[in-house]
């Protein structure tokens, strides 16, 4: 069925159209813009770590980006630390330096403002692996061999903290595929690649978006952090025809509860990764990135217009 056909009409009177990828290269690139930007960001972060470690990239005599995704330093001045890793260490009852705590606070505030799971889709290197598994799944039309509740990741998060408390070791950091893949890329291929391959095969053969969408405790942590994030996906109910194209491509489709989104004018769930897949494929441009204050103003204007009308 082509997008020009109008077999159904939505409740708002608009014809329901299906998304179709543009034929032109420029059109395709525009549709893929968020994917391209995400990949540039993910590989740029890895490049900065790699170049600082191997090519001695620096600024004003200091290493440009040293360390790893758990704890790092920018130009020797700005500490950065994974707040979930820090939380695990605190549960082990070990003391941390003020610098590490400041680094964790900087990262926490940053992701609390722009959306906690932005880390998952824009920075985490495992996302490249799981996205590739998802692409292969779609290509070969593979089904799920297992069903898991997406809330399971919150139990994994709690288990990681409990094990950290009991064992005195930061539990998830010992098995984190994120840390494994980062080490493999920066310092060379080793046994950690087996864990990453396991994630890939799990997502490909067992469960769609199995790791990031169901199990990863770091994703669960950032989902909580990003609940009140200011950068959100705005939803314009007046133009939406409920064609379902956005839900079809979303790696976290439960966040696109359009009835809830219609009430608030935005996707409210902290589990949204702000990956931007839904935005360019909406045939009616009903979805877009925006900041909460501007979304509120937009809603107020719409209500005022409806009242006048």
């Amino acid at each position: 069925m082509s997008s020009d056909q109008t077999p159904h009409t939505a409740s708002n009177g608009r014809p329901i159209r299906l998304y179709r990828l543009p034929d032109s290269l420029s059109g395709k690139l525009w549709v893929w813009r968020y994917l391209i930007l995400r990949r540039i960001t993910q590989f740029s972060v890895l490049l900065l770590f790699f170049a600082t470690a191997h090519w001695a990239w620096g600024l004003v005599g200091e290493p440009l980006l040293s360390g790893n995704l758990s704890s790092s330093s920018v130009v020797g001045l700005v500490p950065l630390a994974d707040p979930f890793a820090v939380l695990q260490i605190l549960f082990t009852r070990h003391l941390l330096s003020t610098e590490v705590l400041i680094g964790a606070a900087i990262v926490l505030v940053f992701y609390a403002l722009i959306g906690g799971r932005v880390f998952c889709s824009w920075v985490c290197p495992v996302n490249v692996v799981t996205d590739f598994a998802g692409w292969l799944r779609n290509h070969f039309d593979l089904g799920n061999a297992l069903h898991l509740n997406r809330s399971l990741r919150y139990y994994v998060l709690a288990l990681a903290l409990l094990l950290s408390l009991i064992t005195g070791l930061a539990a998830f950091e010992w098995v984190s595929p994120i840390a494994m893949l980062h080490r493999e890329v920066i310092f060379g291929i080793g046994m950690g690649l087996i864990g990453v391959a396991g994630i890939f095969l799990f997502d490909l053969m067992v469960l769609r978006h199995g790791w990031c969408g169901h199990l990863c405790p770091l994703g669960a942590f950032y989902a909580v952090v990003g609940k009140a994030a200011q950068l959100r996906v705005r939803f314009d109910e007046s133009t939406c025809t409920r064609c379902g194209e956005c839900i079809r491509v979303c790696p976290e489709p439960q966040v696109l509860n359009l009835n809830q989104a219609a009430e608030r004018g935005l996707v409210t769930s902290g589990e949204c990764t702000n990956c931007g897949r839904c935005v360019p494929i909406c045939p009616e441009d009903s979805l877009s990135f925006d900041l909460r204050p501007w979304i509120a103003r937009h809603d107020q204007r719409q209500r005022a217009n409806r009242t006048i009308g």
Side-chain angles (χ1 to χ4, degrees), residues 44-64:
S44 294
V45 171
L46 290 175
L47 175 62
L48 289 175
F49 277 116
F50 186 92
T52 302
H54 295 278
W55 303 330
W57 278 14
L59 191 65
V60 293
E62 295 289 341
L64 189 55

Side-chain angles (χ1 to χ4, degrees), residues 83-211:
F84 182 52
V86 167
L87 186 60
Q88 291 172 75
I89 296 171
L90 291 176
F91 265 68
T92 67
R93 289 160 288 182
H94 285 84
L95 296 177
L96 287 167
S97 68
T98 302
E99 182 179 347
V100 171
L101 294 175
I102 291 173
I106 291 172
V107 173
L108 194 64
V109 170
F110 176 78
Y111 284 118
L113 290 175
I114 68 165
R117 294 202 68 200
V118 164
F119 170 83
C120 302
S121 59
W122 289 78
V123 177
C124 181
V126 174
N127 172 259
V128 180
V129 176
T130 56
D131 272 3
F132 181 51
W135 180 83
L136 288 176
R137 265 186 163 272
N138 292 334
H139 186 73
F140 293 108
D141 194 24
L142 299 177
N144 289 332
L146 179 68
H147 172 75
L148 292 176
N149 192 305
R150 289 178 181 269
S151 297
L152 181 59
R153 53 190 159 193
Y154 297 102
Y155 293 99
V156 178
L157 185 157
L159 179 62
L161 296 178
L162 179 62
L163 290 176
S164 299
L165 180 65
I166 294 172
T167 65
L169 299 171
F172 178 63
E173 299 311 300
W174 278 85
V175 297
S176 168
I178 304 164
M180 289 180 189
L181 182 54
H182 186 271
R183 285 196 299 269
E184 303 306 306
V185 172
I186 305 302
F187 301 109
I189 303 300
M191 295 298 290
L193 201 61
I194 295 175
V196 178
I199 296 293
F200 171 76
L201 292 175
F202 180 69
D203 270 35
L204 177 64
M205 306 299 294
V206 179
L207 181 63
R208 181 183 301 278
H209 306 304
W211 173 254

